[in-house]
Every structure is written in structure tokens, then in C-alpha cells.
Amino acid sequence: MAEYIEREKVIGILNNNIGNSAIRSAVNGYPEEYFDGWTDAASEAITEVEGIPAADVRPERYGEWLISGECYECSECGGGSNVNTNPYCWKCGAKMDGKDVTQ
């Protein structure tokens, strides 16, 4: 299964690494070319990350079927079902395993 990341966070990490390598270069007495190499590499990586097409993804939702009179109701959106064996809510797409997304 594919994993997705936030582009801005990756770029932030790369930018932080540029700053950290400048500090390490100055403190440790590395030649200026050392810092220049890290800056060039991180800048190239940022350019490549910015060029990756964005994926159309949505956060996972989790829920459970709750008894509601004669039928079952999705705990996330209230969508109804006649059976509680459906693995996903037909209305919102929540996975019906009761798992909390924050776990």
C-alpha cells in the first residue's frame, strides 16, 4: 500500500538541514565547499520534491455500526444499513472496525 507524506514538511526538513550543515561547518571548521555541497544537494532535493505530482488522498475514517431502532447507523456520519457486516460505510467510506485513528 502506498504511503503519503506532506510536501511542506519534507521541504521544511531539507531547509533545516541546510541551516544545520552551515552551523556544523562553522563550528567544526569544515571548508566552505562542505557547506556548499550540502546546500546544493538539499536545493536539488527540494526541486525534485516540488516536482512530484500531488496525490488525491483523504484521511482514513474509522467507525462502528451502532444499533438504531430496526437498523444500524454509522458512528461517523449516521448513514444507515440493514446489516452490521458491511466492512465500510456506504455513505462516508469509514472503515467499520471501531479503530480510533489516533491510536
Side-chain angles (χ1 to χ4, degrees):
M1 183 157 98
E3 293 184 18
Y4 299 96
I5 57 174
E6 293 183 34
R7 182 187 325 259
E8 291 76 25
K9 287 186 179 182
V10 172
I11 292 171
I13 290 168
L14 291 168
N15 280 324
N16 285 339
N17 284 335
I18 291 172
N20 291 340
S21 68
I23 293 168
R24 283 193 302 269
S25 295
V27 169
N28 295 323
Y30 292 126
E32 192 172 320
E33 293 80 23
Y34 176 85
F35 170 67
D36 292 341
W38 276 106
T39 301
D40 292 345
S43 296
E44 180 65 26
I46 289 170
T47 300
E48 292 294 324
V49 168
E50 289 173 338
I52 297 171
D56 185 16
V57 296
R58 62 184 174 140
E60 283 189 311
R61 296 178 78 173
Y62 295 94
E64 57 188 336
W65 293 117
L66 305 173
I67 297 174
S68 177
E70 297 287 321
C71 64
Y72 297 92
E73 188 175 282
C74 171
S75 63
E76 289 296 299
C77 73
S81 177
N82 291 331
V83 294
N84 68 346
T85 56
N86 291 333
Y88 295 92
C89 173
W90 64 271
K91 187 174 179 184
C92 71
K95 187 172 183 178
M96 292 298 159
D97 61 2
K99 179 180 169 186
D100 183 3
V101 75
T102 59
Q103 292 179 351

